[in-house]
Amino acid sequence: MTRYDRYGLSTEQQQQKQSPADGATHQRAERHGQDATMTYGTMTDDESLLLERANAEREEIFLRYERRGCKATDDSWQDPEELSVYAQIDRYGFLHQVASSDQANEEHDKLLKLEMARVKKWVKMHKNWSSSATRENLRRRVMKGIPDRMRSAIWRKLLDLDRLMKENKGVYERMLQIARDRSPDIRQIDFDVNRQFRNNIFYRERYCVKQQSLFRVLAAYSMYNTEIGYCQGMSTVAAVLLMYLDEEDTFWALETLMINTRYAMHGLYIVGFPKLMRFLAHHDKILTKCLPKLKKHLDKHEVHSVLYSLKWFFVIFIERIPFSLCLRVWDIYMMFGERVLTAMSFTILKMHRTKLLRMTDMDEITDFLMTKLHRQFGYPDDTVIKTLQTSMDELKRLKLLNLPPAAVSELPTQPRGQPLEPSTKAKIGHRDEQFSEREKVLKEKVLYRSESKNDEDEQYHNGGVRGNGDGAAGPEEEDDERTEKDYDDITEDTVSHLNIGVSTGSLRTIQSFTTFDTGTSLGTSLNSLVIIDPIDDFCDNDSIIQESTRL
Protein backbone atom coordinates (compact mmCIF):
# COMPACT_ATOMS: atom_id res chain seq x y z
CA MET A 1 0.00 0.00 0.00
CA THR A 2 1.51 3.32 -1.01
CA ARG A 3 1.32 6.62 0.79
CA TYR A 4 -1.41 7.86 -1.49
CA ASP A 5 -3.94 5.04 -1.30
CA ARG A 6 -6.07 7.24 0.96
CA TYR A 7 -6.55 9.53 -2.05
CA GLY A 8 -8.05 6.77 -4.14
CA LEU A 9 -11.50 8.23 -3.46
CA SER A 10 -13.37 10.13 -6.11
CA THR A 11 -13.89 13.85 -5.69
CA GLU A 12 -17.53 13.23 -4.74
CA GLN A 13 -16.55 10.72 -2.06
CA GLN A 14 -13.91 13.11 -0.74
CA GLN A 15 -16.56 15.81 -0.34
CA GLN A 16 -18.83 13.45 1.60
CA LYS A 17 -16.08 12.94 4.18
CA GLN A 18 -15.88 16.67 4.89
CA SER A 19 -18.10 18.64 7.24
CA PRO A 20 -21.25 19.99 5.56
CA ALA A 21 -20.69 23.27 7.43
CA ASP A 22 -17.39 23.85 5.70
CA GLY A 23 -18.75 25.80 2.74
CA ALA A 24 -15.38 27.13 1.63
CA THR A 25 -14.01 23.62 1.43
CA HIS A 26 -16.95 22.55 -0.75
CA GLN A 27 -16.36 25.48 -3.07
CA ARG A 28 -12.70 24.57 -3.45
CA ALA A 29 -13.57 20.94 -4.13
CA GLU A 30 -16.09 22.02 -6.76
CA ARG A 31 -13.48 24.29 -8.32
CA HIS A 32 -11.00 21.42 -8.46
CA GLY A 33 -13.68 19.31 -10.08
CA GLN A 34 -14.34 21.97 -12.69
CA ASP A 35 -10.63 22.35 -13.41
CA ALA A 36 -10.32 18.61 -13.73
CA THR A 37 -13.27 18.48 -16.13
CA MET A 38 -11.62 21.12 -18.30
CA THR A 39 -8.22 19.44 -18.42
CA TYR A 40 -8.92 15.74 -18.12
CA GLY A 41 -9.96 15.60 -21.76
CA THR A 42 -6.33 15.99 -22.82
CA MET A 43 -4.98 13.50 -20.24
CA THR A 44 -4.82 9.78 -19.98
CA ASP A 45 -6.98 8.06 -17.38
CA ASP A 46 -3.91 7.48 -15.18
CA GLU A 47 -2.93 11.15 -15.33
CA SER A 48 -6.46 12.21 -14.48
CA LEU A 49 -6.51 9.93 -11.43
CA LEU A 50 -3.10 11.16 -10.27
CA LEU A 51 -4.13 14.79 -10.66
CA GLU A 52 -7.30 14.13 -8.67
CA ARG A 53 -5.20 12.59 -5.91
CA ALA A 54 -2.79 15.53 -5.96
CA ASN A 55 -5.66 17.99 -5.54
CA ALA A 56 -7.12 15.92 -2.70
CA GLU A 57 -3.76 15.67 -0.94
CA ARG A 58 -3.11 19.40 -1.17
CA GLU A 59 -6.54 20.22 0.26
CA GLU A 60 -6.12 17.69 3.06
CA ILE A 61 -2.77 19.21 4.08
CA PHE A 62 -4.32 22.67 4.30
CA LEU A 63 -7.21 21.26 6.36
CA ARG A 64 -4.83 19.63 8.81
CA TYR A 65 -3.24 22.98 9.64
CA GLU A 66 -6.64 24.68 9.93
CA ARG A 67 -8.28 21.98 12.07
CA ARG A 68 -5.36 21.62 14.46
CA GLY A 69 -5.57 25.37 14.93
CA CYS A 70 -9.11 24.90 16.30
CA LYS A 71 -8.25 21.56 18.01
CA ALA A 72 -10.46 19.61 15.58
CA THR A 73 -7.88 16.96 14.76
CA ASP A 74 -5.62 14.72 16.78
CA ASP A 75 -2.13 14.27 15.36
CA SER A 76 -0.44 13.81 18.73
CA TRP A 77 1.70 11.01 17.27
CA GLN A 78 3.73 13.69 15.50
CA ASP A 79 4.36 15.67 18.68
CA PRO A 80 7.61 15.19 20.62
CA GLU A 81 8.03 14.06 24.20
CA GLU A 82 7.04 16.20 27.16
CA LEU A 83 9.19 19.17 28.16
CA SER A 84 9.98 17.54 31.49
CA VAL A 85 12.97 15.69 30.01
CA TYR A 86 14.71 19.02 29.36
CA ALA A 87 16.66 20.89 31.99
CA GLN A 88 16.53 24.35 30.47
CA ILE A 89 14.78 26.57 27.93
CA ASP A 90 16.95 29.48 26.81
CA ARG A 91 15.75 33.00 26.09
CA TYR A 92 15.20 32.16 22.41
CA GLY A 93 12.95 29.19 23.15
CA PHE A 94 15.46 26.39 22.46
CA LEU A 95 15.41 23.34 24.72
CA HIS A 96 18.55 21.97 26.36
CA GLN A 97 18.95 18.67 28.15
CA VAL A 98 21.84 19.97 30.26
CA ALA A 99 21.50 23.13 32.35
CA SER A 100 24.02 25.94 31.91
CA SER A 101 26.87 26.24 34.38
CA ASP A 102 26.90 28.94 37.05
CA GLN A 103 29.64 30.78 35.17
CA ALA A 104 27.61 30.77 31.96
CA ASN A 105 24.56 32.04 33.84
CA GLU A 106 26.58 34.90 35.36
CA GLU A 107 27.90 35.91 31.94
CA HIS A 108 24.37 35.73 30.54
CA ASP A 109 23.07 38.01 33.31
CA LYS A 110 25.81 40.56 32.59
CA LEU A 111 24.91 40.57 28.90
CA LEU A 112 21.24 41.08 29.73
CA LYS A 113 22.05 44.08 31.93
CA LEU A 114 24.19 45.59 29.17
CA GLU A 115 21.43 44.96 26.66
CA MET A 116 18.84 46.61 28.88
CA ALA A 117 21.07 49.66 29.21
CA ARG A 118 21.06 50.00 25.42
CA VAL A 119 17.31 49.67 24.97
CA LYS A 120 16.57 53.35 25.64
CA LYS A 121 19.00 54.43 22.90
CA TRP A 122 17.37 52.02 20.44
CA VAL A 123 13.86 53.19 21.33
CA LYS A 124 14.94 56.77 20.64
CA MET A 125 16.55 55.75 17.32
CA HIS A 126 13.40 53.89 16.30
CA LYS A 127 11.21 56.92 16.99
CA ASN A 128 13.56 59.18 15.00
CA TRP A 129 14.47 56.71 12.26
CA SER A 130 14.90 59.31 9.51
CA SER A 131 16.99 61.74 11.52
CA SER A 132 20.65 62.46 10.77
CA ALA A 133 21.63 61.31 14.29
CA THR A 134 20.11 57.89 13.66
CA ARG A 135 21.85 57.54 10.31
CA GLU A 136 25.13 58.51 11.92
CA ASN A 137 24.89 56.06 14.83
CA LEU A 138 22.99 53.17 13.28
CA ARG A 139 25.84 51.16 11.78
CA ARG A 140 28.01 51.41 14.87
CA ARG A 141 25.17 50.36 17.16
CA VAL A 142 24.13 47.47 14.92
CA MET A 143 27.67 46.12 15.25
CA LYS A 144 27.32 46.33 19.04
CA GLY A 145 24.09 44.36 18.83
CA ILE A 146 20.37 45.06 18.58
CA PRO A 147 18.61 44.37 21.92
CA ASP A 148 16.45 41.30 21.49
CA ARG A 149 13.27 43.10 22.52
CA MET A 150 13.94 45.72 19.80
CA ARG A 151 14.93 43.25 17.09
CA SER A 152 11.43 42.96 15.60
CA ALA A 153 10.98 46.73 15.25
CA ILE A 154 14.48 47.33 13.85
CA TRP A 155 14.30 44.45 11.36
CA ARG A 156 11.04 45.93 10.07
CA LYS A 157 12.81 49.25 9.51
CA LEU A 158 15.93 47.76 7.93
CA LEU A 159 13.82 45.72 5.50
CA ASP A 160 11.37 48.59 4.85
CA LEU A 161 8.38 46.35 5.49
CA ASP A 162 5.87 49.13 6.23
CA ARG A 163 6.23 50.53 2.71
CA LEU A 164 6.02 47.11 1.06
CA MET A 165 2.87 46.12 2.92
CA LYS A 166 1.21 49.46 2.21
CA GLU A 167 1.91 49.12 -1.52
CA ASN A 168 0.73 45.49 -1.69
CA LYS A 169 -2.45 45.29 0.35
CA GLY A 170 -4.33 42.03 -0.14
CA VAL A 171 -1.54 40.38 -2.16
CA TYR A 172 -0.53 37.94 0.57
CA GLU A 173 -4.09 36.64 1.05
CA ARG A 174 -4.52 36.27 -2.72
CA MET A 175 -1.26 34.30 -3.08
CA LEU A 176 -2.28 32.04 -0.21
CA GLN A 177 -5.58 31.23 -1.89
CA ILE A 178 -3.87 30.53 -5.22
CA ALA A 179 -1.39 28.25 -3.44
CA ARG A 180 -4.28 26.33 -1.93
CA ASP A 181 -5.79 25.87 -5.37
CA ARG A 182 -2.75 24.78 -7.34
CA SER A 183 0.71 25.04 -5.71
CA PRO A 184 2.76 21.92 -6.58
CA ASP A 185 5.05 22.44 -3.58
CA ILE A 186 2.61 21.91 -0.71
CA ARG A 187 3.67 18.37 0.16
CA GLN A 188 7.36 19.32 0.37
CA ILE A 189 6.55 22.42 2.42
CA ASP A 190 4.52 20.29 4.84
CA PHE A 191 7.45 17.88 5.27
CA ASP A 192 9.89 20.72 5.97
CA VAL A 193 7.63 22.55 8.40
CA ASN A 194 7.50 19.33 10.43
CA ARG A 195 11.31 19.29 10.58
CA GLN A 196 11.97 22.93 11.32
CA PHE A 197 13.26 23.88 14.79
CA ARG A 198 11.42 21.08 16.59
CA ASN A 199 13.72 21.70 19.57
CA ASN A 200 12.19 25.15 19.97
CA ILE A 201 9.02 25.73 21.97
CA PHE A 202 7.59 27.95 19.21
CA TYR A 203 7.68 25.10 16.64
CA ARG A 204 7.64 22.06 18.91
CA GLU A 205 3.98 21.10 18.76
CA ARG A 206 2.75 19.76 15.41
CA TYR A 207 0.37 22.21 13.68
CA CYS A 208 0.97 24.83 16.38
CA VAL A 209 0.50 28.53 15.66
CA LYS A 210 4.06 29.08 14.40
CA GLN A 211 3.94 25.96 12.22
CA GLN A 212 0.67 27.17 10.72
CA SER A 213 2.19 30.58 9.97
CA LEU A 214 5.36 29.05 8.50
CA PHE A 215 3.34 26.74 6.28
CA ARG A 216 1.17 29.58 4.98
CA VAL A 217 4.10 31.92 4.33
CA LEU A 218 6.00 29.31 2.32
CA ALA A 219 2.89 28.19 0.44
CA ALA A 220 2.00 31.77 -0.53
CA TYR A 221 5.55 32.62 -1.60
CA SER A 222 5.77 29.49 -3.73
CA MET A 223 3.15 31.07 -5.99
CA TYR A 224 4.27 34.70 -5.60
CA ASN A 225 7.79 34.03 -6.92
CA THR A 226 7.31 31.29 -9.49
CA GLU A 227 10.96 31.41 -10.63
CA ILE A 228 11.94 29.93 -7.26
CA GLY A 229 8.72 28.29 -6.20
CA TYR A 230 9.92 26.61 -3.05
CA CYS A 231 13.42 25.60 -2.01
CA GLN A 232 14.11 23.90 1.31
CA GLY A 233 16.56 26.49 2.62
CA MET A 234 13.73 29.02 2.55
CA SER A 235 11.93 27.25 5.41
CA THR A 236 14.84 27.91 7.79
CA VAL A 237 15.08 31.58 6.84
CA ALA A 238 11.32 32.08 7.16
CA ALA A 239 11.23 30.24 10.51
CA VAL A 240 13.79 32.62 12.02
CA LEU A 241 11.96 35.65 10.66
CA LEU A 242 8.72 34.35 12.20
CA MET A 243 10.35 34.34 15.64
CA TYR A 244 10.40 38.14 15.46
CA LEU A 245 7.82 39.14 12.83
CA ASP A 246 4.14 38.52 12.18
CA GLU A 247 3.00 36.21 9.41
CA GLU A 248 2.46 38.73 6.61
CA ASP A 249 5.54 40.70 7.72
CA THR A 250 7.58 37.52 7.28
CA PHE A 251 6.22 37.02 3.76
CA TRP A 252 7.39 40.49 2.70
CA ALA A 253 10.67 40.16 4.61
CA LEU A 254 11.34 36.98 2.63
CA GLU A 255 10.54 38.85 -0.58
CA THR A 256 12.95 41.66 0.37
CA LEU A 257 15.76 39.21 1.10
CA MET A 258 15.18 37.57 -2.26
CA ILE A 259 15.03 40.58 -4.60
CA ASN A 260 16.66 43.55 -2.85
CA THR A 261 20.13 44.06 -4.39
CA ARG A 262 21.67 44.35 -0.92
CA TYR A 263 20.86 40.67 -0.23
CA ALA A 264 19.82 39.18 -3.60
CA MET A 265 19.09 35.70 -2.20
CA HIS A 266 17.05 34.98 -5.34
CA GLY A 267 20.23 33.75 -7.02
CA LEU A 268 20.83 31.26 -4.19
CA TYR A 269 17.58 29.40 -4.75
CA ILE A 270 16.93 29.42 -8.49
CA VAL A 271 17.84 26.49 -10.75
CA GLY A 272 21.59 25.99 -10.87
CA PHE A 273 22.28 28.00 -7.70
CA PRO A 274 24.46 30.56 -9.53
CA LYS A 275 25.01 32.72 -6.45
CA LEU A 276 26.19 29.72 -4.45
CA MET A 277 28.74 29.12 -7.18
CA ARG A 278 29.98 32.69 -6.82
CA PHE A 279 30.10 32.44 -3.03
CA LEU A 280 32.10 29.21 -3.13
CA ALA A 281 34.56 30.47 -5.74
CA HIS A 282 35.04 33.76 -3.91
CA HIS A 283 35.44 31.99 -0.55
CA ASP A 284 38.22 29.84 -2.00
CA LYS A 285 39.86 32.92 -3.48
CA ILE A 286 39.90 34.59 -0.04
CA LEU A 287 41.39 31.48 1.60
CA THR A 288 44.09 31.24 -1.07
CA LYS A 289 45.02 34.88 -0.55
CA CYS A 290 44.61 35.29 3.22
CA LEU A 291 44.92 31.80 4.71
CA PRO A 292 47.10 29.87 2.22
CA LYS A 293 48.43 27.38 4.78
CA LEU A 294 44.93 26.47 5.94
CA LYS A 295 43.66 26.29 2.35
CA LYS A 296 46.45 23.84 1.48
CA HIS A 297 45.64 21.79 4.59
CA LEU A 298 41.92 21.60 3.70
CA ASP A 299 42.72 20.64 0.10
CA LYS A 300 45.11 17.95 1.30
CA HIS A 301 42.30 16.30 3.25
CA GLU A 302 39.74 16.91 0.47
CA VAL A 303 37.66 19.24 2.62
CA HIS A 304 36.18 21.34 -0.18
CA SER A 305 34.23 24.41 0.83
CA VAL A 306 30.97 22.93 -0.46
CA LEU A 307 31.19 20.28 2.29
CA TYR A 308 30.93 22.68 5.21
CA SER A 309 29.65 26.02 3.93
CA LEU A 310 26.21 25.35 2.40
CA LYS A 311 24.36 26.53 5.50
CA TRP A 312 26.73 29.47 5.84
CA PHE A 313 25.45 30.93 2.59
CA PHE A 314 21.99 29.41 2.10
CA VAL A 315 20.53 30.11 5.54
CA ILE A 316 22.90 32.72 6.97
CA PHE A 317 24.77 30.44 9.39
CA ILE A 318 21.70 28.98 11.11
CA GLU A 319 22.66 25.76 12.94
CA ARG A 320 26.34 26.28 12.19
CA ILE A 321 27.10 28.77 14.97
CA PRO A 322 25.33 29.37 18.33
CA PHE A 323 21.93 30.98 17.87
CA SER A 324 22.78 34.09 19.91
CA LEU A 325 25.80 34.75 17.68
CA CYS A 326 23.78 33.89 14.60
CA LEU A 327 21.23 36.60 15.44
CA ARG A 328 24.05 39.12 15.73
CA VAL A 329 25.21 38.10 12.27
CA TRP A 330 21.64 38.43 10.97
CA ASP A 331 21.46 41.97 12.38
CA ILE A 332 24.65 42.95 10.57
CA TYR A 333 23.55 41.13 7.41
CA MET A 334 20.34 43.16 7.28
CA MET A 335 22.40 46.32 7.70
CA PHE A 336 25.26 45.63 5.27
CA GLY A 337 24.03 42.84 3.00
CA GLU A 338 25.74 39.91 1.29
CA ARG A 339 29.33 40.96 2.01
CA VAL A 340 28.75 40.00 5.65
CA LEU A 341 28.47 36.33 4.63
CA THR A 342 31.79 36.52 2.83
CA ALA A 343 33.50 38.15 5.82
CA MET A 344 31.91 35.87 8.43
CA SER A 345 32.97 32.75 6.53
CA PHE A 346 36.53 34.06 6.53
CA THR A 347 36.26 35.00 10.22
CA ILE A 348 35.21 31.50 11.32
CA LEU A 349 38.19 29.86 9.63
CA LYS A 350 40.60 32.60 10.73
CA MET A 351 39.62 32.31 14.40
CA HIS A 352 39.84 28.51 14.39
CA ARG A 353 42.74 27.98 11.97
CA THR A 354 45.11 26.70 14.68
CA LYS A 355 42.65 23.98 15.71
CA LEU A 356 41.89 23.09 12.10
CA LEU A 357 45.58 22.77 11.21
CA ARG A 358 45.99 20.21 13.99
CA MET A 359 43.23 18.04 12.59
CA THR A 360 44.39 15.30 10.26
CA ASP A 361 41.13 13.71 9.15
CA MET A 362 38.38 14.94 6.84
CA ASP A 363 35.67 13.64 9.17
CA GLU A 364 37.17 15.46 12.14
CA ILE A 365 37.39 18.76 10.23
CA THR A 366 33.89 18.65 8.83
CA ASP A 367 32.40 17.53 12.15
CA PHE A 368 34.08 20.47 13.87
CA LEU A 369 32.82 23.01 11.32
CA MET A 370 29.33 21.56 10.96
CA THR A 371 28.49 20.36 14.49
CA LYS A 372 30.85 21.38 17.26
CA LEU A 373 30.97 25.09 16.47
CA HIS A 374 27.20 25.22 16.74
CA ARG A 375 27.34 23.80 20.25
CA GLN A 376 30.34 25.78 21.48
CA PHE A 377 32.01 28.41 19.34
CA GLY A 378 34.86 28.93 21.75
CA TYR A 379 34.76 32.75 21.85
CA PRO A 380 32.29 35.29 23.31
CA ASP A 381 29.86 36.78 20.80
CA ASP A 382 31.33 40.27 21.19
CA THR A 383 34.81 38.97 20.42
CA VAL A 384 33.57 37.27 17.27
CA ILE A 385 31.77 40.39 16.06
CA LYS A 386 34.86 42.55 16.66
CA THR A 387 36.88 40.06 14.65
CA LEU A 388 34.19 40.16 11.95
CA GLN A 389 34.57 43.94 11.75
CA THR A 390 38.35 43.53 11.42
CA SER A 391 37.81 40.92 8.69
CA MET A 392 35.52 43.25 6.75
CA ASP A 393 38.16 46.00 6.90
CA GLU A 394 40.92 43.58 5.87
CA LEU A 395 38.98 42.19 2.92
CA LYS A 396 38.00 45.68 1.86
CA ARG A 397 41.67 46.71 1.68
CA LEU A 398 42.39 43.63 -0.43
CA LYS A 399 39.32 44.34 -2.61
CA LEU A 400 37.91 40.93 -1.69
CA LEU A 401 34.95 42.00 0.42
CA ASN A 402 32.39 42.11 -2.38
CA LEU A 403 31.40 39.20 -4.61
CA PRO A 404 32.07 39.34 -8.34
CA PRO A 405 29.17 40.90 -10.27
CA ALA A 406 26.11 38.72 -10.77
CA ALA A 407 25.18 37.42 -14.20
CA VAL A 408 21.89 38.58 -15.68
CA SER A 409 20.49 35.05 -15.37
CA GLU A 410 20.92 35.24 -11.59
CA LEU A 411 18.52 38.15 -11.23
CA PRO A 412 14.70 37.97 -11.27
CA THR A 413 13.35 38.00 -14.82
CA GLN A 414 9.62 37.45 -14.31
CA PRO A 415 7.12 39.70 -12.54
CA ARG A 416 6.20 38.45 -9.09
CA GLY A 417 2.64 38.12 -7.94
CA GLN A 418 1.47 36.81 -11.32
CA PRO A 419 1.60 33.04 -10.80
CA LEU A 420 1.68 30.79 -13.82
CA GLU A 421 -0.45 27.67 -14.08
CA PRO A 422 1.81 24.71 -13.16
CA SER A 423 2.22 22.01 -15.75
CA THR A 424 0.32 18.75 -15.37
CA LYS A 425 3.58 17.00 -14.55
CA ALA A 426 4.33 19.52 -11.80
CA LYS A 427 0.83 19.16 -10.33
CA ILE A 428 1.04 15.37 -10.31
CA GLY A 429 4.65 15.30 -9.16
CA HIS A 430 5.98 12.65 -11.51
CA ARG A 431 9.33 11.12 -10.68
CA ASP A 432 12.05 11.00 -13.29
CA GLU A 433 12.64 7.29 -13.61
CA GLN A 434 15.70 7.69 -15.84
CA PHE A 435 18.55 8.23 -13.39
CA SER A 436 22.03 9.19 -14.54
CA GLU A 437 24.99 7.12 -13.32
CA ARG A 438 25.89 9.66 -10.64
CA GLU A 439 22.29 9.88 -9.52
CA LYS A 440 22.21 6.09 -9.18
CA VAL A 441 25.38 6.22 -7.06
CA LEU A 442 23.85 8.92 -4.87
CA LYS A 443 20.64 6.96 -4.43
CA GLU A 444 22.52 3.82 -3.41
CA LYS A 445 24.66 5.75 -0.92
CA VAL A 446 21.73 7.48 0.75
CA LEU A 447 19.79 4.21 0.96
CA TYR A 448 22.87 2.45 2.29
CA ARG A 449 23.36 5.11 4.94
CA SER A 450 19.73 4.93 5.99
CA GLU A 451 19.91 1.13 6.31
CA SER A 452 23.26 1.31 8.14
CA LYS A 453 21.88 3.82 10.62
CA ASN A 454 18.86 1.61 11.28
CA ASP A 455 21.12 -1.43 11.83
CA GLU A 456 23.35 0.51 14.22
CA ASP A 457 20.36 1.81 16.17
CA GLU A 458 18.96 -1.70 16.46
CA GLN A 459 22.31 -3.05 17.68
CA TYR A 460 22.58 -0.22 20.18
CA HIS A 461 19.11 -0.79 21.62
CA ASN A 462 19.70 -4.54 21.75
CA GLY A 463 23.01 -4.08 23.56
CA GLY A 464 24.99 -5.36 20.60
CA VAL A 465 28.57 -4.45 19.75
CA ARG A 466 29.38 -2.79 16.45
CA GLY A 467 32.22 -4.19 14.40
CA ASN A 468 33.97 -7.54 14.58
CA GLY A 469 32.52 -8.57 17.93
CA ASP A 470 35.54 -7.42 19.97
CA GLY A 471 34.59 -3.77 20.13
CA ALA A 472 36.75 -2.77 17.16
CA ALA A 473 35.31 -1.63 13.90
CA GLY A 474 36.00 -3.71 10.84
CA PRO A 475 37.93 -2.37 7.85
CA GLU A 476 34.82 -1.50 5.88
CA GLU A 477 33.26 0.26 8.87
CA GLU A 478 36.43 2.25 9.54
CA ASP A 479 36.40 3.37 5.93
CA ASP A 480 32.82 4.55 6.04
CA GLU A 481 31.67 5.30 9.57
CA ARG A 482 29.63 8.38 8.72
CA THR A 483 25.87 8.12 8.89
CA GLU A 484 22.96 10.48 8.54
CA LYS A 485 23.30 11.12 12.27
CA ASP A 486 26.88 12.33 11.84
CA TYR A 487 26.00 14.64 8.98
CA ASP A 488 22.76 16.59 9.19
CA ASP A 489 22.95 17.56 5.55
CA ILE A 490 22.65 14.75 3.01
CA THR A 491 23.88 17.02 0.24
CA GLU A 492 27.03 17.91 2.12
CA ASP A 493 27.62 14.27 3.03
CA THR A 494 27.17 12.75 -0.38
CA VAL A 495 29.09 15.27 -2.42
CA SER A 496 32.21 14.30 -0.50
CA HIS A 497 31.88 10.71 -1.73
CA LEU A 498 31.27 11.84 -5.27
CA ASN A 499 34.39 14.02 -5.14
CA ILE A 500 32.36 17.08 -5.96
CA GLY A 501 33.82 20.33 -4.77
CA VAL A 502 35.64 23.50 -5.56
CA SER A 503 39.23 23.38 -6.64
CA THR A 504 41.63 26.30 -6.64
CA GLY A 505 41.07 28.52 -9.64
CA SER A 506 38.15 26.52 -11.02
CA LEU A 507 34.71 25.57 -9.86
CA ARG A 508 33.54 22.06 -10.56
CA THR A 509 29.97 21.52 -11.57
CA ILE A 510 27.85 20.04 -8.83
CA GLN A 511 25.75 17.26 -10.22
CA SER A 512 21.98 17.61 -10.00
CA PHE A 513 20.28 14.99 -7.89
CA THR A 514 16.88 13.59 -8.78
CA THR A 515 14.20 12.77 -6.24
CA PHE A 516 13.83 9.10 -5.44
CA ASP A 517 11.13 8.97 -2.79
CA THR A 518 10.14 5.33 -2.56
CA GLY A 519 6.59 4.20 -3.10
CA THR A 520 5.07 7.55 -3.98
CA SER A 521 3.34 8.89 -7.03
CA LEU A 522 3.09 12.50 -5.94
CA GLY A 523 6.51 14.13 -6.02
CA THR A 524 8.26 16.85 -4.18
CA SER A 525 9.10 20.01 -6.02
CA LEU A 526 12.19 19.83 -8.16
CA ASN A 527 12.83 23.34 -6.85
CA SER A 528 14.03 21.87 -3.54
CA LEU A 529 17.49 22.05 -2.08
CA VAL A 530 18.36 19.47 0.53
CA ILE A 531 19.34 21.05 3.82
CA ILE A 532 18.02 18.24 5.99
CA ASP A 533 18.67 17.97 9.70
CA PRO A 534 18.84 14.66 11.57
CA ILE A 535 15.57 12.87 11.04
CA ASP A 536 13.46 13.53 14.12
CA ASP A 537 11.56 10.71 15.78
CA PHE A 538 8.33 12.59 15.15
CA CYS A 539 8.80 12.82 11.35
CA ASP A 540 6.72 10.31 9.42
CA ASN A 541 8.63 7.44 7.86
CA ASP A 542 7.66 8.28 4.30
CA SER A 543 9.62 11.53 4.53
CA ILE A 544 13.01 9.99 5.32
CA ILE A 545 14.09 9.68 1.70
CA GLN A 546 12.35 12.39 -0.30
CA GLU A 547 15.29 14.62 -1.08
CA SER A 548 15.63 16.51 -4.37
CA THR A 549 18.26 19.05 -5.30
CA ARG A 550 18.85 21.06 -8.41
CA LEU A 551 22.52 21.93 -8.16
Side-chain angles (χ1 to χ4, degrees), residues 1-6 519 542:
M1 183 172 104
T2 70
R3 180 181 180 84
Y4 299 102
D5 281 348
R6 64 177 179 273
D542 286 333

Side-chain angles (χ1 to χ4, degrees), residues 403-419:
L403 289 172
V408 177
S409 59
E410 187 177 313
L411 306 174
T413 59
Q414 298 177 7
R416 291 168 306 286
Q418 300 179 17

Side-chain angles (χ1 to χ4, degrees), residues 29 69 117 183 272 274 314 320 347 446 505 537:
S183 174
F314 271 109
R320 287 296 178 264
T347 299
V446 174
D537 293 337

Side-chain angles (χ1 to χ4, degrees), residues 193-250:
V193 167
N194 193 27
R195 296 188 182 102
Q196 201 60 60
F197 290 141
R198 294 303 294 277
N199 63 331
N200 188 289
I201 58 174
F202 297 119
Y203 293 95
R204 190 163 180 75
E205 183 183 353
R206 189 67 170 117
Y207 304 113
C208 63
V209 173
K210 285 296 183 182
Q211 282 203 3
Q212 292 173 39
S213 295
L214 180 58
F215 173 78
R216 288 194 292 263
V217 167
L218 297 173
Y221 199 78
S222 72
M223 299 309 295
Y224 182 78
N225 188 339
T226 53
E227 286 185 85
I228 296 177
Y230 171 70
C231 190
Q232 283 179 312
M234 294 164 59
S235 63
T236 303
V237 175
V240 175
L241 292 171
L242 272 170
M243 292 182 182
Y244 292 93
L245 302 173
D246 293 334
E247 185 176 311
E248 187 172 355
D249 295 342
T250 298

Side-chain angles (χ1 to χ4, degrees), residues 276-291:
L276 173 64
M277 302 297 103
R278 287 197 296 129
F279 265 127
L280 293 175
H282 193 62
H283 177 68
D284 280 354
K285 185 177 180 180
I286 290 173
L287 293 188
T288 302
K289 178 74 174 179
C290 304
L291 298 171

Side-chain angles (χ1 to χ4, degrees), residues 367-379:
D367 182 61
F368 176 76
L369 292 172
M370 296 168 60
T371 304
K372 292 183 179 179
L373 285 183
H374 172 55
R375 297 171 184 164
Q376 179 56 254
F377 195 83
Y379 296 90

Side-chain angles (χ1 to χ4, degrees), residues 124-140:
K124 185 177 179 180
M125 285 175 58
H126 182 257
K127 289 181 178 179
N128 302 281
W129 189 255
S130 301
S131 68
S132 58
T134 297
R135 289 195 297 269
E136 181 180 343
N137 296 323
L138 182 60
R139 295 191 174 195
R140 176 173 53 85

